[in-house]
Amino acid sequence: MTTLAIVGATGAVGSVMIDIIDARETVPWSEIRLIASPRSAGRRLTVRGQEIEVVALSAGAFDGVDIAMFDVPDEVSATWAPVAVERGAIAVDNSGAYRMDPDVPLVVPEVNADAAHTRPKGIVSNPNCTTLSMMAAIGALHRAFTLTELVVASYQAASGAGQEGIDRLQAEMSAVAGKGVGHRAGDVREALAAAGLGTDSPFPAPLALNVVPWAGSWRDGGWSSEELKVRNESRKILGIEGLKVSATCVRVPVVTTHALAVHATFDSPVDVETARQVFAAQPSIVLVDEPREGRFPTPADVVGEDPTYVGRIRQALDFPNTLDFFVCGDNLRKGAALNTYEIAEELVGDR
Ligand code: 2RA
């Protein structure tokens, strides 16, 4: 008898969690409880054919809960995950509140599932979607070759910035659709202004017909918080304290699915054929790597999919120990809801 709670059940990621639970052939849960802000309480959602009323977030909402998955803002998790633990639940948190806490494991089940079972605070963290979108691939290679350096550029979807990000991209796309854009071709700002779209955007520059080399908030040295998450979380998940990591995070006009160009260096020479075998042996990876036939992963083909897609695998010409490849992962599924749910599944035996 195991009770699962979804905290943030009515949000974008909460909805994907419900889709994932619906799609499972069997689930180990005797009860699924839906928890959200008081504003959403009373709504009725269907999970595995059963209508469930959403209850308001409160301490009492966690009574009898074994595992509580949180997809809420950092400050809400910071307050309520410990309350869930006090009430007897294990909290699996998809916010940034606990990811770098040394007493909270940061887990990607196909990389470090064991870590989920040692949790001094009763909390397990889910990584940021950008780190997660590449981690199944990096983890598999690290087991085979021993990773020493990671240089990545991300191509991040608008939905990483939530519904607000999706809405803004769609409004901008409508503003530029079918127009010769601006006096100078590509002057998107002029088209947005003409459509009455102001600068109150989750993105610091136009996203339609553009790329924006910034995601997250300002950090020392000109880094973005997103870039530092890639570095710090990769080190923690892989258990390589001194891993050299450098990331450039870029927002692109894609609705859902993050992509990353990865330049991964190992402690000995690597070859593409072995890398292919490593990827092919990992059930959560789909290899699409026939570029001469125009077959490689793109966000348009990966959205809605659970696995991580990998392609464009090359042995770096001037770096014998280095592989270059391109990876795509649905940022709302493996990047958020799916990995959180897989952690919850991993924890069932602990209850
Ligand atoms: C983003 N990774 O894409 C963030 C969301 N957690 O903005």
Side-chain angles (χ1 to χ4, degrees):
M1 299 291 280
T2 310
T3 296
L4 176 74
I6 305 176
V7 186
T10 56
V13 173
S15 308
V16 177
M17 283 175 176
I18 293 172
D19 289 347
I20 288 166
I21 292 170
D22 281 343
R24 286 287 198 260
E25 262 176 42
T26 59
V27 294
W29 321 116
S30 48
E31 182 194 335
I32 294 174
R33 199 170 300 173
L34 305 180
I35 302 176
S37 65
R39 191 166 27 94
S40 299
R43 277 178 61 185
R44 300 183 77 80
L45 301 177
T46 302
V47 186
R48 295 184 78 79
Q50 192 196 338
E51 246 194 29
I52 301 175
E53 184 171 319
V54 176
V55 300
L57 181 57
S58 70
F62 295 104
D63 286 343
V65 170
D66 294 287
I67 298 169
M69 304 190 296
F70 282 75
D71 192 87
V72 291
D74 292 7
E75 63 281 9
V76 179
S77 281
T79 303
W80 289 96
V83 175
V85 173
E86 268 164 38
R87 295 276 167 152
I90 304 169
V92 185
D93 181 35
N94 187 34
S95 82
Y98 295 98
R99 286 182 185 137
M100 295 316 297
D101 185 325
D103 289 331
V104 174
L106 183 64
V107 175
V108 182
E110 60 268 69
V111 179
N112 64 340
D114 286 354
H117 302 290
T118 306
R119 34 171 201 276
K121 290 191 170 161
I123 300 170
V124 179
S125 256
N126 192 62
N128 181 41
C129 51
T130 311
T131 313
L132 260 176
S133 298
M134 65 174 182
M135 207 31 77
I138 300 287
L141 288 176
H142 175 52
R143 279 194 298 279
F145 298 123
T146 305
L147 184 69
T148 58
E149 295 173 26
L150 197 53
V151 180
V152 301
S154 73
Y155 303 76
Q156 292 180 223
S159 57
Q163 191 59 45
E164 199 195 348
I166 299 174
D167 293 345
R168 175 70 189 200
L169 176 59
Q170 281 176 342
E172 290 188 8
M173 296 300 280
S174 299
V176 300
K179 310 219 170 75
V181 180
H183 295 310
R184 287 165 294 159
D187 189 347
V188 180
R189 287 183 198 276
E190 184 183 287
L192 300 191
L197 282 176
T199 52
D200 53 335
S201 166
F203 310 115
L207 191 57
L209 304 179
N210 206 13
V211 295
V212 181
W214 190 263
S217 47
W218 168 266
R219 291 291 184 272
D220 284 351
W223 295 98
S224 70
S225 56
E226 194 75 4
E227 288 157 352
L228 297 187
K229 283 179 192 177
V230 169
R231 176 173 181 256
N232 297 333
E233 294 179 15
S234 297
R235 289 174 163 187
K236 184 168 176 179
I237 296 160
L238 295 165
I240 316 174
E241 214 174 298
L243 181 67
K244 293 181 179 176
V245 184
S246 197
T248 300
C249 289
V250 180
R251 192 77 66 183
V252 294
V254 163
V255 176
T256 295
T257 293
H258 287 354
L260 295 106
V262 180
H263 180 87
T265 299
F266 304 89
D267 72 352
S268 54
V270 293
D271 67 86
V272 169
E273 198 39 49
T274 312
R276 280 178 200 280
Q277 287 166 12
V278 167
F279 289 137
Q282 171 73 51
S284 63
I285 290 177
V286 174
L287 195 55
V288 184
D289 195 18
E290 297 165 293
R292 268 185 297 192
E293 280 73 50
R295 285 177 43 77
F296 29 67
T298 74
D301 302 311
V302 172
V303 63
E305 297 283 316
D306 286 348
T308 299
Y309 282 64
V310 180
R312 299 295 329 279
I313 306 167
R314 289 148 290 151
Q315 204 276 304
L317 291 177
D318 299 318
F319 305 88
N321 294 8
T322 301
L323 287 173
D324 283 290
F325 55 94
F326 194 71
V327 57
C328 287
D330 184 322
N331 53 303
L332 301 180
R333 292 184 80 87
K334 184 61 181 172
L338 176 65
N339 198 72
T340 308
Y341 186 70
E342 288 171 339
I343 295 171
E345 288 179 322
E346 174 71 30
L347 295 171
V348 172
D350 291 8
R351 304 309 296 183

